[in-house]
Amino acid sequence: PSFLSRRRKLAFYLDPTSATEALIAQLELASYAMESEIWLGVDHVLQQHNVPAGLIIEPVSSENLEDFLRVFSQAFGGPATEKDGYGDIPPEYLAALRGSLGATQFLPDVAQKHFLGYVEKTPVGCASIHHDRTFAGLYNVGTIPSQRGKGTGTALSLYALNSALNAGVKQAFLQTQPNGSVQRFYEKLGCTQLFEAAIAYKQ
């Protein structure tokens, strides 16, 4: 009821533990679309590549929360492409992200950490990681268009992943579209493919 009261669209996440064939068939009959995702993982601290000159990474707080949302919008907004890109960010998504970033506790025993990369005091990249004592998930890694190709995303990804791995988690995960540049990027950093999953949603 609370999901519907907020006028959010219903979606299902299907991983290999689901009875995927029968469930997918039923969801497709109900007019759900399927979007594949690749899960990548890493179980050891990664070597920090050369950090771009002048890049400073800081944690997100109430003072720079709006900077984080602005960088996120610039990094992920805009026209979608065939392999990457998400299209314009819906206001509802940004509102939900703002609420989650401002929360003091996401779930019991789960730490949520958000980071901003600055160059000459200008926010240029972002990343988030959530972890308990065993597993971590990497999210929201993005760089504003003018800063791409300079190593900012690499530095933020490694910083966020290693913050969890150094805290003792056994494995860190991330999800991305299959066969895209993001998958290749993280494989070069040292992540390996674990499995393929799917999101079923109504358009």
Side-chain angles (χ1 to χ4, degrees), residues 84-101:
D84 303 299
Y86 298 89
D88 291 334
I89 306 300
E92 298 86 354
Y93 190 98
L94 288 177
L97 183 58
R98 179 181 285 107
S100 70
L101 291 172

Side-chain angles (χ1 to χ4, degrees), residues 9-81:
K9 295 180 180 180
L10 188 61
F12 296 89
Y13 198 89
L14 309 175
D15 67 25
T17 63
S18 309
T20 52
E21 291 185 8
L23 186 53
I24 286 174
Q26 290 296 318
L27 291 171
E28 287 177 338
L29 285 174
S31 301
Y32 279 82
M34 298 290 165
E35 180 178 320
S36 295
E37 275 194 337
I38 295 295
W39 279 60
L40 303 170
V42 61
D43 60 3
H44 58 277
V45 174
L46 296 167
Q47 181 180 358
Q48 182 72 52
H49 292 233
N50 292 333
V51 177
L55 180 69
I56 297 173
I57 299 175
E58 296 183 358
V60 173
S61 65
S62 58
E63 286 75 22
N64 57 4
L65 174 58
E66 294 304 316
D67 285 343
F68 184 98
L69 294 171
R70 188 162 47 253
V71 168
F72 179 90
S73 296
Q74 292 177 27
F76 291 97
T81 66

